Amino acid sequence: MLNVATQYAIQGTTAKGIAASVERGVTEGELAPGDALPPVRRLADELGVSPGTVATAYKELRGRGLVVTRGRGGTVVAEAPSVASRRPPRVPEGLVDLASGLPDPAFLPVLRPPAEVRPVYGSHRAAPRLAALEELTRAWFRRDGVPAERVTFAHGALDCVARILSVELRPGDAVAVEDPGFHHLLDLVPALGLRTVPVAVDGEGVTPDALRAALRAGVRAVVLSPRAQTPTGASFSAARRDELGALLGGFPDVLVVEDHYFAGFDGPPVPTLGALGPARWAQVRTVSKRLGVDLRWAGLAGDEVTLARHDGRMLMTSGWISHLLQETVVGLLSDPEVIRLVARGEAAYAERRGALIGALGARGVRAAGAEGLNVWVPVRDESAVVNGLRTHGWWVAAGARFRIAAPPAVRITAATLLPEAAERLAADFAGVLGDAQATYGG
């Protein structure tokens, strides 16, 4: 059943004015997801404009991801309007926060910016990247077999992906994204005026059947994660990587973007599509989960055309990544003690995820989370579980933020959850599920 927007009066005498009025209503919360906009002819009569003017306004809003059209159901505000990212609700006071998706600060290094930075004449546009960080970045990619003759930098994964998609695609083009997936990416794609095509994920990442269907449907780009996929923790096996690579080989014009946000600094190589050298590809690696959220830096490898277009757009806007930041990252990546600290963190995260998954499994609750910081737990009613756990002092994330067509679930950040606490949480979780089953009739 649609919600009818009866309180907000849309205004405007031009298509742009009407579209701006609707956007204002969404931004200010007067128009909520699912609210129905007036039919074209009725709004045209109310505003004293032609139906074509209203239709043009609605078309612009659809192209920007603010509204969707549901046939006879009319035009409604999108579930995740692209004027703002789907921010998590505030953690209620007194609850244990297991919804953040953030690492344990105990395994993050203390950031020490360089003690001395000489002033420069002019800008860094002629030499935007520090040679020392370029070499460290190349080595980081090469450890996983990713070609790294050409690398560049960005302000983070989303900054990088947004720039690549905006220079490569045109409004209305389709992009395949993981479902469930990274919630900020699910908001970013429609915000760029692009269409989102969800592809299913299992324990080894994107499924071949789902990717095949998306490619045949005409997607122009694919964005996926080779390791610790958000929110399920899935990671490519070598076999899955090869199967996906073979599929993509039949579509050489499709841009393949890998968000390798959880790339390690040590350990065995991780299978990635970048190592197969697709015709059009880019892989972005960030350090915020390993070294701290203040390090808004990303390394990017890819084909020559993609990197050139990325850098061309960047030079026209922000220009370069702060050399202060680059010097800081060089120092951290060159510090053996920092690398050991990160390795201890990864071992702790594996232990904590395993403890929670095991404790839930012992109570008949299935959960996923092979790698990363989170555990993904399928449920029937997200709200019932979130609110039920809240009464026991736990705060977890409803899965609706992370999915499009995927079944409901909740995401639990296990990064700071010690094994003894995992037992208590699992017992409470099973109890909440039992209460919900009794309440909703099994």
Side-chain angles (χ1 to χ4, degrees), residues 108-375:
L108 298 175
V110 175
L111 301 183
R112 295 184 176 89
E116 183 178 273
V117 178
R118 296 287 183 180
V120 298
Y121 176 75
S123 75
H124 289 300
R125 290 182 186 275
R129 297 179 295 277
L130 293 182
L133 188 51
E134 277 196 287
E135 286 307 308
L136 287 169
T137 304
R138 287 192 180 93
W140 193 19
F141 281 106
R142 284 171 176 157
R143 67 176 294 275
D144 291 325
V146 177
E149 292 77 17
R150 294 173 295 272
V151 297
T152 192
F153 303 158
H155 294 281
L158 284 172
D159 172 73
C160 177
V161 173
R163 191 172 293 110
I164 291 172
L165 294 181
S166 67
V167 298
E168 293 285 345
L169 277 62
R170 296 292 176 267
D173 284 346
V175 180
V177 298
E178 297 161 327
D179 182 23
F182 183 32
H183 55 297
H184 292 307
L185 177 66
L186 300 186
D187 295 335
L188 173 64
V189 171
L192 295 174
L194 305 171
R195 292 186 294 114
T196 300
V197 177
V199 290
V201 175
D202 65 13
E204 297 179 78
V206 166
T207 65
D209 286 345
L211 180 60
R212 183 181 296 107
L215 291 169
R216 290 176 175 173
V219 297
R220 294 287 311 283
V222 177
V223 183
L224 38 71
S225 302
R227 184 184 184 199
Q229 188 267 350
T230 296
T232 69
S235 295
F236 287 168
S237 65
R240 174 61 57 83
R241 185 272 312 273
D242 292 346
E243 191 171 1
L244 296 178
L247 273 175
L248 290 163
F251 297 85
D253 293 332
V254 172
L255 175 64
V256 181
V257 181
E258 288 186 295
D259 178 4
H260 203 351
Y261 81 97
F262 209 68
F265 303 137
D266 204 352
V270 174
T272 74
L273 289 165
L276 302 180
R280 297 301 312 283
W281 68 282
Q283 184 181 112
V284 56
R285 298 186 172 200
T286 53
V287 296
S288 58
K289 290 293 191 291
R290 301 291 195 179
L291 302 179
V293 296
D294 280 322
L295 294 175
R296 308 308 297 170
W297 172 87
L300 177 65
D303 69 88
E304 184 175 6
V305 172
T306 299
L307 294 197
R309 290 176 177 173
H310 171 277
D311 284 358
R313 177 61 60 85
M314 187 167 184
L315 285 171
M316 294 171 62
T317 53
S318 57
W320 65 88
I321 308 300
S322 162
H323 280 208
L324 282 169
L325 180 57
Q326 292 189 48
E327 290 276 13
T328 303
V329 176
V330 168
L332 293 167
L333 294 181
S334 304
D335 187 336
E337 182 52 41
V338 169
I339 302 303
R340 286 192 288 270
L341 176 65
V342 171
R344 291 197 296 273
E346 182 152 356
Y349 299 145
E351 179 188 19
R352 294 169 186 182
R353 289 192 318 271
L356 179 57
I357 292 171
L360 289 169
R363 293 165 173 81
V365 180
R366 179 173 59 89
E371 295 203 62
L373 306 175
N374 306 296
V375 171

Side-chain angles (χ1 to χ4, degrees), residues 86 180 231 376 379 382 386 397-404 407-411:
R86 42 187 113 181
W376 183 249
V379 297
E382 294 177 3
V386 170
R401 290 172 53 210
F402 309 94
R403 58 188 182 83
I404 301 173
V410 295
R411 192 194 72 173

